[in-house]
Amino acid sequence: MQIEWLDGLESRVHDAVERLGELREENRTLRDTIEDLETRLAAVATPAAGPAPWEEREGGEEIDALQARLRELERQLAAAETERAEAAAAARAWEIEREEVRRRVEGLTAGLAGLAGS
């Protein structure tokens, strides 16, 4: 017996799990990029290192650009983490719903088997 809506539910759970994997990879990439930019920014901002060549030419525009990029990456990371959390919550809800359906179908099946055996 095929229950179409249960197939749809399982498909949604599968899609959510797949999306979670994608978001984890995206988060990892964004974190690596942020770490790289923070390292570069720290190296540029360290007075002992002396001014970087572009600072002399561009008056610190590179630092401003790096800081703006860092803020944008942090915003993207926060958005991705929010999306990941929402997808995880949806996947948990779908799992709970799926388990409830399974339990109820098993109960109905057992009841029908009892009636057929009588």
Side-chain angles (χ1 to χ4, degrees):
M1 172 194 267
Q2 197 72 326
I3 303 174
E4 290 181 24
W5 62 267
L6 186 55
D7 289 340
L9 179 63
E10 287 177 330
S11 176
R12 288 175 23 210
V13 169
H14 176 72
D15 291 346
V17 168
E18 186 176 309
R19 182 67 179 136
L20 282 173
E22 292 169 0
L23 288 172
R24 281 191 187 107
E25 182 59 33
E26 185 178 336
N27 280 349
R28 190 175 7 265
T29 300
L30 288 172
R31 287 182 194 277
D32 290 345
T33 302
I34 287 172
E35 185 177 314
D36 179 55
L37 288 173
E38 286 174 338
T39 301
R40 289 173 54 195
L41 183 60
V44 170
T46 304
W54 62 81
E55 284 184 280
E56 294 170 0
R57 289 192 314 267
E58 301 174 12
E61 290 177 13
E62 179 72 10
I63 291 174
D64 293 340
L66 286 172
Q67 288 173 333
R69 179 71 175 135
L70 179 59
R71 284 190 300 274
E72 175 60 20
L73 288 172
E74 287 172 339
R75 186 198 61 74
Q76 289 176 7
L77 178 60
E81 287 177 343
T82 297
E83 187 177 347
R84 182 203 54 78
E86 289 170 354
R92 282 191 299 275
W94 292 331
E95 245 345 279
I96 290 168
E97 184 178 342
R98 180 176 179 232
E99 183 58 29
E100 176 65 16
V101 168
R102 186 192 59 74
R103 185 188 63 75
R104 292 173 85 180
V105 168
E106 286 176 353
L108 289 171
T109 303
L112 289 173
L115 287 175
S118 298

